[in-house]
Amino acid sequence: MYIITDQLKDNGFSINRLDYIIKRNNNKREMNTLEYFCIYIVLEDITLTVEDVAYGIKAGNIAFVGPQKKIVFGKTKRSDVFAIVFSSTFYERSTKDSLFINSQLFFNYNSDVFVAPFINIEQMRVVFMERMESFQRKDKSLYISAAHNAIERLILDAFLHIPTEEIKNDFKFDYMYYVNRFKVILQRDYKTAKKVSYYANELSTSSRRLTEMTEYMLGKTAKQVIIEKLVNECIKALKFSNCTISEVSYELGFSDEGNFSNFIKKHTGKNPSEMK
């Protein structure tokens, strides 16, 4: 059984060279991924045997392996392979994160390993590996944030190598696309468009389906998302602009100052004049 590192115990995340991992494993090259998600950055050719199937992975590739997999590392000249290991608890901070790590990168029906290329070995070594070491030396909280961002970047790059049709067939990624587009259009049009039906029409879908998607991805109805956006923009305008309440209400697309005041009172419990 693989002995996990203190860093992995403490943070739910670790990044280590292959030689360190093998040494910690009493020089055994066989181990189990346990409940962890693993990303192997391969800077030299290696044979990775997962669940008794051998995969020859060339330098310049990244291998993704999910939890509870038996894995054997082949011989290497320099052990120039890095293992990023993390728990679901460490990575999952949003519905999007959950979709990413429960995707076919880690749970592939056709193979126990998903392999994706990266562009430049030296860039990966310097920009990614050395950068992570710098964050680790500087500050723990920064290191944790950098680690999360680094994993997301590797995952996103790997998604480029999944056939588009396969991604489209996964309704969850369809939801992610529509909700992200909704937020972009809302940012553009919130002053003039305040109805769910407008945004649904812009996305060529129904109001009901748009709400279904926002509830799944954000835990909020589409109407709630629009209201939250408006409330935040109203508060910012009242606090930080030199405009009168009447001017702010007009700028944010309300028919009159009374309408605007009622909206603010309903959703914040305060009158606009209290926020100025």
Side-chain angles (χ1 to χ4, degrees), residues 24-130:
R24 190 174 177 88
N25 198 41
N26 297 318
N27 294 316
K28 295 177 183 176
R29 306 185 81 85
E30 179 180 330
M31 54 200 73
N32 194 293
T33 59
L34 305 176
E35 70 269 28
Y36 297 102
F37 294 79
C38 301
I39 302 175
Y40 300 107
I41 299 175
V42 180
L43 303 180
E44 67 170 305
D45 296 358
I46 188 173
T47 297
L48 216 56
T49 301
V50 184
E51 294 296 303
D52 299 320
V53 177
Y55 301 87
I57 301 174
K58 296 288 186 182
N61 281 283
I62 303 172
F64 296 79
V65 181
Q68 305 301 338
K69 301 292 183 185
K70 184 178 71 175
I71 186 165
V72 182
F73 293 102
K75 297 287 185 180
T76 54
K77 292 179 180 177
R78 301 180 304 278
S79 292
D80 220 358
V81 174
F82 290 84
I84 297 172
V85 182
F86 59 95
S87 65
S88 59
T89 306
F90 169 82
Y91 189 72
E92 288 184 272
R93 302 179 184 179
S94 67
T95 303
K96 178 189 70 173
D97 292 344
S98 181
L99 292 179
F100 280 171
I101 65 170
N102 287 289
S103 70
Q104 60 181 296
L105 293 185
F106 296 102
F107 298 97
N108 194 323
Y109 296 118
N110 301 317
S111 168
D112 287 309
V113 180
F114 186 93
V115 179
F118 57 85
I119 296 171
N120 187 301
I121 289 178
E122 202 51 41
Q123 185 182 56
M124 179 64 76
R125 193 193 308 276
V126 174
V127 175
F128 184 81
M129 309 307 301
E130 293 185 7

Side-chain angles (χ1 to χ4, degrees), residues 15-241:
I15 180 167
N16 287 295
R17 275 175 60 101
L18 179 57
D19 50 359
Y20 176 81
I21 293 170
I22 292 170
K23 182 179 179 181
R24 190 174 177 88
N25 198 41
N26 297 318
N27 294 316
K28 295 177 183 176
R29 306 185 81 85
E30 179 180 330
M31 54 200 73
N32 194 293
T33 59
L34 305 176
E35 70 269 28
Y36 297 102
F37 294 79
C38 301
I39 302 175
Y40 300 107
I41 299 175
V42 180
L43 303 180
E44 67 170 305
D45 296 358
I46 188 173
T47 297
L48 216 56
T49 301
V50 184
E51 294 296 303
D52 299 320
V53 177
Y55 301 87
I57 301 174
K58 296 288 186 182
N61 281 283
I62 303 172
F64 296 79
V65 181
Q68 305 301 338
K69 301 292 183 185
K70 184 178 71 175
I71 186 165
V72 182
F73 293 102
K75 297 287 185 180
T76 54
K77 292 179 180 177
R78 301 180 304 278
S79 292
D80 220 358
V81 174
F82 290 84
I84 297 172
V85 182
F86 59 95
S87 65
S88 59
T89 306
F90 169 82
Y91 189 72
E92 288 184 272
R93 302 179 184 179
S94 67
T95 303
K96 178 189 70 173
D97 292 344
S98 181
L99 292 179
F100 280 171
I101 65 170
N102 287 289
S103 70
Q104 60 181 296
L105 293 185
F106 296 102
F107 298 97
N108 194 323
Y109 296 118
N110 301 317
S111 168
D112 287 309
V113 180
F114 186 93
V115 179
F118 57 85
I119 296 171
N120 187 301
I121 289 178
E122 202 51 41
Q123 185 182 56
M124 179 64 76
R125 193 193 308 276
V126 174
V127 175
F128 184 81
M129 309 307 301
E130 293 185 7
R131 185 166 171 264
M132 289 302 299
E133 287 179 8
S134 297
F135 278 119
Q136 188 174 12
R137 287 193 299 268
K138 189 173 181 66
D139 180 83
K140 181 179 178 180
S141 62
L142 277 177
Y143 176 61
I144 296 299
S145 295
H148 189 279
N149 291 341
I151 292 169
E152 181 169 288
R153 178 180 170 183
L154 294 174
I155 288 173
L156 285 171
D157 286 348
F159 274 129
L160 294 174
H161 301 282
I162 300 176
T164 304
E165 287 307 311
E166 288 186 29
I167 292 180
K168 284 183 178 177
N169 288 337
D170 189 333
F171 79 95
K172 295 172 185 175
F173 286 98
D174 194 35
Y175 278 23
M176 191 185 299
Y177 168 79
Y178 276 102
V179 170
N180 286 340
R181 286 292 303 148
F182 169 45
K183 290 194 286 188
V184 169
I185 298 169
L186 179 60
Q187 178 62 35
R188 184 190 72 192
D189 296 343
Y190 70 89
K191 292 180 182 179
T192 55
K194 297 173 173 57
K195 291 185 177 180
V196 175
S197 57
Y198 169 83
Y199 295 98
N201 186 58
E202 285 289 298
L203 293 164
S204 302
T205 190
S206 67
S207 298
R208 182 176 177 179
R209 181 160 168 76
L210 178 57
T211 289
E212 178 186 322
M213 291 187 281
T214 59
E215 284 182 327
Y216 184 89
M217 294 297 299
L218 306 174
K220 305 168 187 174
T221 66
K223 184 177 180 180
Q224 285 173 317
V225 175
I226 294 169
I227 288 172
E228 279 188 12
K229 174 65 177 173
L230 272 170
V231 169
N232 288 336
E233 293 299 331
C234 289
I235 292 171
K236 279 196 293 185
L238 288 168
K239 285 185 175 180
F240 303 114
S241 79

